[in-house]
Amino acid sequence: MATITTSEPAVSPTKAAQFLKAPKKNLIDGKWLESASGERFSVYDPSTGATIAHVPDSGAEDIDHAVKAARRAFESGPWPKLSPSDRGRLIWKIGDLILENLEELAEIESLDNGKPVAVARVADIPLAADLFHYMAGWATKIEGNTIPISALPAGDAKFLAYTVREPVGVIGQIIPWNFPLLMAAWKLGPALATGNTVILKPAEQTPLSALRLGELLLEAGVPVGVVNVVTGFGETAGAALAAHHGVDKIAFTGSTEVGKLIVQSAAGNLKKVSLELGGKSPNVVFRDVSNLDAAIQGAANAIFFNHGQCCCAGSRLFAEKEIYDEVVAGVSDFAKKIKLGPGLHPETEMGPLVSQEQLDRVSGFLNSGVQEGARTMTGGQRVGDRGYFVQPTVLTNTNPEMRVVREEIFGPVVVAEPFDKVEELIPIANQSEYGLAAGVWTNDIAKAHRAAHQLRAGTIWINCYNVFDAALPFGGFKQSGWGREMGHDVLELYTETKAVVVAL
Ligand code: NAI
Ligand code: MG
């Protein structure tokens, strides 16, 4: 049984506490403002359910204000005049400031989201900084082409033809709560590197690190109106941003359901849309893997990292039938040893789910699994009655019709199935409306690459899982989304190509 540490956080969140004490406001046009309505809503510590802050409950009026500020900043003032080199230096500085404030940001993130502070310290915060550092380099490398054209009807006339890549314009960015600061970085880094201006709407569950980032952006010298941070609910602030005719593009990460709503609202002015949505990623262990222990640990981390609240979680585990029992036992043992507790407790290995809503959602899946005949090898229950803790869970005896096999659970719950032959496995692994990621564990190099080719997903991890890098594109096939974030692929999402033809 997973143990819960019930004592209060041993780390005093000094820096985070100082930040939390100050009133929280929107960043619009370089100013910190209350919502137009004056309304605010509570932000909770998911390990207790206690209120830790209040933030503006923004609506259409606030969004409109921010969009107008972003438009002004896009068209006039210092931002469009900044040289690529200066823009790069500015973005680099944001990365530096994140590192300088790493401990505070890690505490804020841990308190707000519930994730272990130790994880935020080595993953969320440094990766966010690295994304800005990586994107800083691109500011000076947004290049077009010179194109030899024939222009047949023009006879002997000669032309110089070239392309330039220009910013898309005013970008609305709507992000989720599972990696709040990192998702803000994934979105802001490339948008700024390519010269756009932004309205960022953080998730209502976790708005705090985006507001702290807003302060750091001003400290770095990002000009007024270039980045606006507006807190609010999805149905109000988010929907207003997605529908606004002054917005040229929406970049969204979140549920597939809301992704589809965004596409519909974007139709109003045909704004560009990029989407990073859900997943139900297969993770496949072959019996020829030489280090089975590493594969078992990898399979456990693939699902339990960030409490399963990862769009790319390895939530469907497949093991070749000869090793299936050992893999299931190994992952279950791993699950039983995970220490649950508040994110700020130094010994915590897994924190609470982010909200009551997610606790209810995940509990609903656990119930439906059992009702449909799945067997719980370990876990399956809520832990305690305070906070939103759920036991790491391994389900077996499942079939492809079950909801726990088809739908994204977004909690620490894995379904494990045996397979006989690779030819049978691939179609089953691909049997999902999603296609975000997949894992393959084998020592047969040809088999590994064949599987990598056959699996329909945006990222394939071979003998590893959850390896991310600012230089590596990430995104989904099928209903896992549109477009790729990070790497140089993301620049496509934030630039328009213009062709220029000169008669010589
Ligand atoms: P969600 O998709 O509702 O929320 C994500 C973001 O979208 C938040 O900023 C939210 O305020 C905003 N939003 C919500 N409704 C909107 C609307 N109508 N118009 C514009 N913006 C809107 O996700 P939620 O409810 O937090 O979680 C539900 C499920 O979504 C999870 O159980 C999980 O399966 C999935 N999810 C996937 C994520 C991913 O990384 N791909 C991240 C978060 C959730
Ligand atoms: Mg929602």
Side-chain angles (χ1 to χ4, degrees), residues 77-370:
W79 183 243
K81 296 195 199 102
L82 219 55
S83 70
S85 172
D86 284 341
R87 210 165 63 229
R89 261 195 288 265
L90 188 60
I91 297 165
W92 185 273
K93 179 114 189 267
I94 300 168
D96 283 351
L97 285 173
I98 290 174
L99 290 182
E100 281 168 30
N101 293 278
L102 188 145
E103 189 54 33
E104 179 190 354
L105 287 164
E107 285 173 4
I108 292 172
E109 208 71 321
S110 171
L111 198 56
D112 202 3
N113 164 280
K115 65 179 67 203
V117 67
V119 171
R121 226 178 249 141
V122 299
D124 297 64
I125 315 302
L127 286 174
D130 191 52
L131 197 289
F132 283 106
H133 285 149
Y134 171 84
M135 287 297 164
W138 276 116
T140 46
K141 298 165 196 71
I142 314 293
E143 296 172 350
N145 297 309
T146 50
I147 301 170
I149 61 170
S150 303
L152 296 182
D156 288 340
K158 296 288 175 229
F159 300 93
L160 166 67
Y162 63 94
T163 57
V164 283
R165 297 182 56 192
E166 298 187 351
V168 174
V170 172
I171 315 285
Q173 304 188 320
I174 301 176
I175 56 170
W177 41 261
N178 49 348
F179 297 91
L181 185 74
L182 188 56
M183 292 301 103
W186 280 26
K187 298 257 182 300
L188 285 172
L192 297 179
T194 45
N196 297 277
T197 60
V198 175
I199 302 95
L200 176 75
K201 196 209 76 68
E204 52 269 41
Q205 297 84 352
T206 56
L208 298 176
S209 57
L211 294 175
R212 182 68 184 104
L213 179 63
E215 295 177 353
L216 297 180
L217 294 172
L218 295 181
E219 191 179 334
V222 173
V224 162
V226 171
V227 178
N228 304 275
V229 183
V230 181
T231 61
F233 290 92
E235 296 74 9
T236 49
L241 187 56
H244 201 293
H245 282 223
V247 172
D248 298 305
K249 171 188 159 64
I250 287 280
F252 172 76
T253 298
S255 62
T256 299
E257 182 194 352
V258 172
K260 291 178 185 177
L261 292 177
I262 301 247
V263 169
Q264 286 168 18
S265 359
N269 68 331
L270 284 179
K271 57 175 69 69
K272 271 65 182 174
V273 176
S274 56
L275 303 168
E276 204 265 88
L277 307 174
K280 192 76 186 176
S281 298
N283 192 16
V284 184
V285 186
F286 289 100
R287 69 181 159 150
D288 61 28
V289 67
S290 62
N291 189 345
L292 188 58
D293 287 344
I296 287 169
Q297 191 169 340
N301 280 323
I303 181 64
F304 299 132
F305 175 64
N306 213 42
H307 330 163
Q309 301 171 136
C310 294
C311 46
C312 55
S315 52
R316 288 186 296 144
L317 174 60
F318 297 95
E320 208 161 350
K321 79 173 188 296
E322 290 80 356
I323 55 162
Y324 174 75
D325 288 341
E326 197 177 344
V327 169
V328 168
V331 173
S332 301
D333 276 351
F334 188 100
K336 285 176 199 155
K337 290 187 189 129
I338 293 174
K339 283 193 197 144
L340 269 83
L344 283 174
H345 196 287
E347 282 169 36
T348 292
E349 292 168 343
M350 185 185 283
L353 299 182
V354 76
S355 64
Q356 180 70 48
E357 187 186 356
Q358 287 307 112
L359 175 65
D360 294 343
R361 198 187 292 261
V362 172
S363 303
F365 274 112
L366 290 171
N367 291 337
S368 100
V370 170

